[in-house]
Amino acid sequence: MPEQKAVRRRENWGSRLGVILAVSGSAVGLGNFLRFPVKAAQNGGGAFMIPYFLAFLLVGIPLAWIEWTLGRYGGKHSHGSAPGIYHRVTGGRSWAKYVGAISIFVPLVISFYYVYVESWTLAFSLFSLTGQIPEAAAAGNMTAFLNGFLGIEKNQYFSGPWTALAIFALVFVLNYTFIYRGVAMGIEKLNKVAMPILLFCGVILAIRVLTLGTPDSVNHPEWNVTSGLGFMWNPNWADLLKARVWIEAAGQIFFTLSVGMGAILAYASYLRHRDDVVLSSLTSCSANEFCEVILGGSIGLVAAAIFYGAAQAQTIAQSGAFSLGFITMPMIFGHMGGGTVMGFLWFFLLFLAGITSCVSLIQPAVAFLEDELGLNRQSAVTLLGAVGFCITLFVVLTLAYGSLDEMDFWAGTMFPVVSATIEIIIFAYFLGVRKGFEEMHHGADMKVPKLYRHVIRYITPIYLITILVVWGYQEWISVVFMRNISDPIQFRFVLITRILLLLIFGTLILLIVKANRRGRFPALKGKGL
Amino acid sequence: MTLVGWILMGISWGVILGLFVLCLVKVFRTQKANIRAPLEIETDD
């Protein structure tokens, strides 16, 4: 079938800084401030940084370069999502476009629940200003406050999930409005405003925590900034002998850089073909690391160790990232001078990190509908918004029965690793490292060290396959076979969630078949780039 | 915090800050007014 001739003119980014901020905004999410400190504290403290930096160099940076390169190449051929890009770079292999469905499925499904979590952060930033959170924190009722807000229980703070639903609706519309306005006018403008404010909030919070001194010098003179930093950074070298620590470090790098999610592919597809990808990609990665290690590593758990001591901070770390962010942090701000403002800055920072990530998660599906099915942007966003609202409503109403966790397992944990593994295999073994590097260096403002040819060909795929095998064996099997669920009602809702996910994936496959019939994936006779 | 902890934190912060600043400086120096031809790269493998 002949390739469709009348391909609409695709949008471009307005400026280089705009695309760098947008990709940084995509990468900097809640995990930078909540997941990283928890993972570091649980896995050897300062010693964790050794496997973390190795994974950054051997997995994170190469994957980011590959995604930027493939994305820009796809944009040149009017493809902004993985099905079209994989079809092109594999020389038209029939399976490639269907495999690409994973890179639309992953970000789309994450966006369905991420937007809800994002709305909590906006709500909590407002509750910080109105005094509701400081009051609940002072009474030691933050768990009840959070559960009441989410509708898990009725209490003195909330009589149902209505406040959460109203703020969710507002945040949902806000997210889709930015996407509706387009790449340059919506997403780029959002990131140009949100990212500097996010950095400002992060720097203010980090400075506040690092200048706390010894808050309780009478009863606990040993609880101070130095011991707080020590909690994060003192190395436990014995942990380096545990395979789990190395896998956790690679996993953290993988998730924090948003690789394997399809978002970078979509964003890079709006570059011009002469635009640099090597330096821009490295800049986005380093901006993300600045937010994660320097800001994220200096706020949450450091403050917890300063106010509650190292032993209690370890318990907080064990209770997980959400508990740290939404329960412990408000209590910490309650002890802090200027705590109301700091609480607002904390949750507003999380909100900005959330919204800039969330729009990047929706964009791959929008690009797919526009590029492959010929919908205009407004129709594509409206359609996705309608479907997304219904599915997110399902998540909101079934939160207590594990639907969010189930979606997060498949789309937020397992499939991104699968997706990135497929991506690097396609780049290294179907496209070929030599051709791939030629494409990568087109218009490049810096040269990728030759060593990375070998890294991309051997080390990164091995790293990713190891993560897949180890996590698959240690953690995923019990979840896949639902061995971790004993409650029959939860079992039913998890099953319904799985059927929903299958329907989403099946619909994507059908849409790829439809795009194929429209001539969007023509025969290429084995010619890649 | 132990001395090793300080050293690890210093190195980590230094590497990240150094990379971030270096990248930003390069980005602002290489404005698109100076568009270059695609790099000639060796393809010896």
Side-chain angles (χ1 to χ4, degrees):
Chain A
M1 200 176 287
E3 187 170 10
Q4 195 184 20
K5 295 291 178 198
V7 174
R8 90 182 70 232
R9 190 181 174 279
R10 298 183 87 250
E11 279 188 89
N12 288 120
W13 295 100
S15 66
R16 184 183 194 182
L17 192 63
V19 63
I20 289 171
L21 285 173
V23 176
S24 306
S26 167
V28 177
L30 304 183
N32 290 55
F33 301 95
L34 300 178
R35 195 177 188 268
F36 168 75
V38 167
K39 289 290 171 194
Q42 288 175 343
N43 294 290
F48 179 76
M49 297 314 290
I50 292 169
Y52 180 86
F53 275 121
L54 268 177
F56 179 59
L57 292 172
L58 301 177
V59 178
I61 291 176
L63 275 173
W65 275 330
I66 287 171
E67 287 204 12
W68 277 73
T69 305
L70 292 180
R72 184 187 60 176
Y73 176 74
K76 186 177 148 191
H77 295 281
S78 300
H79 296 298
S81 55
I85 295 171
Y86 290 177
H87 175 78
R88 273 273 164 190
V89 295
T90 58
R93 282 182 168 81
S94 56
W95 51 265
K97 53 186 172 290
Y98 299 110
V99 163
I102 298 173
S103 293
I104 305 173
F105 174 83
V106 163
L108 189 63
V109 172
I110 296 175
S111 77
F112 293 148
Y113 59 83
Y114 202 86
V115 68
Y116 183 43
V117 180
E118 181 195 330
S119 73
W120 306 354
T121 60
L122 181 65
F124 272 47
S125 65
L126 297 174
F127 295 150
S128 296
L129 282 183
T130 57
Q132 286 160 281
I133 283 188
E135 193 185 307
N141 282 340
M142 271 316 295
T143 306
F145 187 88
L146 179 63
N147 286 343
F149 173 71
L150 297 178
I152 294 171
E153 65 182 50
K154 287 181 182 176
N155 53 36
Q156 70 269 39
Y157 301 109
F158 298 97
S159 57
W162 317 120
T163 315
L165 279 172
I167 295 175
F168 152 66
L170 175 78
V171 169
F172 188 91
V173 171
L174 200 62
N175 276 270
Y176 278 83
T177 303
F178 283 115
I179 300 166
Y180 189 90
R181 289 171 62 84
V183 172
M185 296 302 291
I187 298 171
E188 185 172 343
K189 282 196 171 177
L190 164 72
N191 281 283
K192 276 183 166 173
V193 174
M195 286 307 287
I197 298 175
L198 182 151
L199 279 175
F200 174 78
C201 293
V203 169
I204 295 289
L205 282 162
I207 290 172
R208 183 71 192 98
V209 171
L210 297 178
T211 54
L212 280 169
T214 311
D216 188 1
S217 54
V218 178
N219 298 315
H220 298 287
E222 74 282 13
W223 295 356
N224 52 41
V225 173
T226 311
S227 64
L229 286 170
F231 175 71
M232 275 296 296
W233 289 98
N234 284 344
N236 182 0
W237 298 115
D239 278 354
L240 287 182
L241 297 174
K242 297 174 185 166
R244 177 180 57 84
V245 172
W246 291 79
I247 295 292
E248 289 286 359
Q252 179 59 26
I253 277 296
F254 184 84
F255 291 118
T256 189
L257 293 175
S258 287
V259 284
M261 305 270 184
I264 299 176
L265 283 179
Y267 274 8
S269 76
Y270 298 100
L271 289 167
R272 293 167 189 84
H273 193 237
R274 65 172 186 271
D275 288 340
D276 157 87
V277 293
V278 180
L279 178 60
S280 299
S281 167
L282 196 61
T283 310
S284 301
C285 289
S286 61
N288 178 73
E289 289 311 300
F290 175 80
C291 290
E292 177 151 298
V293 178
I294 298 182
L295 299 182
S298 303
I299 303 173
L301 276 182
V302 175
I306 293 170
F307 281 102
Y308 300 121
Q312 185 64 20
Q314 194 58 259
T315 310
I316 291 165
Q318 299 293 345
S319 65
F322 274 96
S323 174
L324 169 69
F326 291 92
I327 294 170
T328 308
M329 288 307 286
M331 287 159 65
I332 289 170
F333 293 128
H335 298 296
M336 206 184 269
T340 304
V341 176
M342 291 300 141
F344 166 75
L345 288 180
W346 169 251
F347 286 112
F348 195 61
L349 165 127
L350 293 183
F351 170 66
L352 294 175
I355 192 169
T356 50
S357 298
C358 196
V359 294
S360 78
L361 295 169
I362 302 165
Q363 182 57 32
V366 174
F368 174 74
L369 292 177
E370 277 190 287
D371 298 330
E372 317 304 0
L373 294 171
L375 268 68
N376 64 39
R377 187 170 193 88
Q378 286 70 25
S379 306
V381 175
T382 308
L383 177 68
L384 272 176
V387 173
F389 191 82
C390 296
I391 295 176
T392 311
L393 217 51
F394 167 78
V395 175
V396 172
L397 298 174
T398 59
L399 183 73
Y401 304 108
S403 57
L404 191 152
D405 291 336
E406 187 63 16
M407 283 191 177
D408 186 50
F409 169 72
W410 293 101
T413 308
M414 188 176 176
F415 274 135
V417 190
V418 174
S419 165
T421 309
I422 291 168
E423 191 174 72
I424 196 149
I425 289 171
I426 284 178
F427 185 90
Y429 295 99
F430 286 91
L431 174 60
V433 173
R434 187 182 60 79
K435 280 186 184 173
F437 264 59
E438 280 173 21
E439 177 63 22
M440 194 183 285
H441 282 90
H442 188 87
D445 283 330
M446 65 174 278
K447 195 171 175 180
V448 174
K450 268 188 175 182
L451 172 74
Y452 271 97
R453 292 175 185 220
H454 305 292
V455 170
I456 286 172
R457 189 175 286 144
Y458 304 112
I459 297 174
T460 314
I462 289 171
Y463 230 123
L464 286 171
I465 290 168
T466 308
I467 295 176
L468 266 178
V469 172
V470 174
W471 273 357
Y473 178 72
Q474 288 183 346
E475 293 175 26
W476 294 348
I477 287 178
S478 65
V479 185
V480 169
F481 293 106
M482 296 200 262
R483 289 174 193 154
N484 54 339
I485 303 169
S486 52
D487 179 20
I489 300 173
Q490 190 183 353
F491 187 89
R492 209 172 297 156
F493 275 102
V494 167
L495 212 57
I496 292 169
T497 309
R498 286 190 182 186
I499 292 167
L500 184 64
L501 293 176
L502 269 175
L503 280 174
I504 296 168
F505 195 78
T507 307
L508 285 172
I509 296 291
L510 286 177
L511 290 176
I512 291 170
V513 170
K514 192 176 177 197
N516 191 32
R517 288 192 184 138
R518 292 183 75 241
R520 289 299 292 145
F521 307 114
L524 298 172
K525 295 172 188 171
K527 287 175 189 167
L529 282 173
Chain B
M1 180 148 77
T2 63
L3 179 66
V4 184
W6 281 112
I7 291 170
L8 280 168
M9 190 181 104
I11 292 172
S12 301
W13 283 35
V15 168
I16 288 167
L17 265 177
L19 183 65
F20 185 40
V21 171
L22 189 77
C23 286
L24 281 181
V25 168
K26 272 186 99 85
V27 164
F28 286 114
R29 275 193 188 161
T30 52
Q31 292 298 319
K32 278 294 135 180
N34 309 317
I35 296 167
R36 289 183 289 159
L39 274 169
E40 287 285 324
I41 61 165
E42 297 155 19
T43 52
D44 53 350
D45 59 340

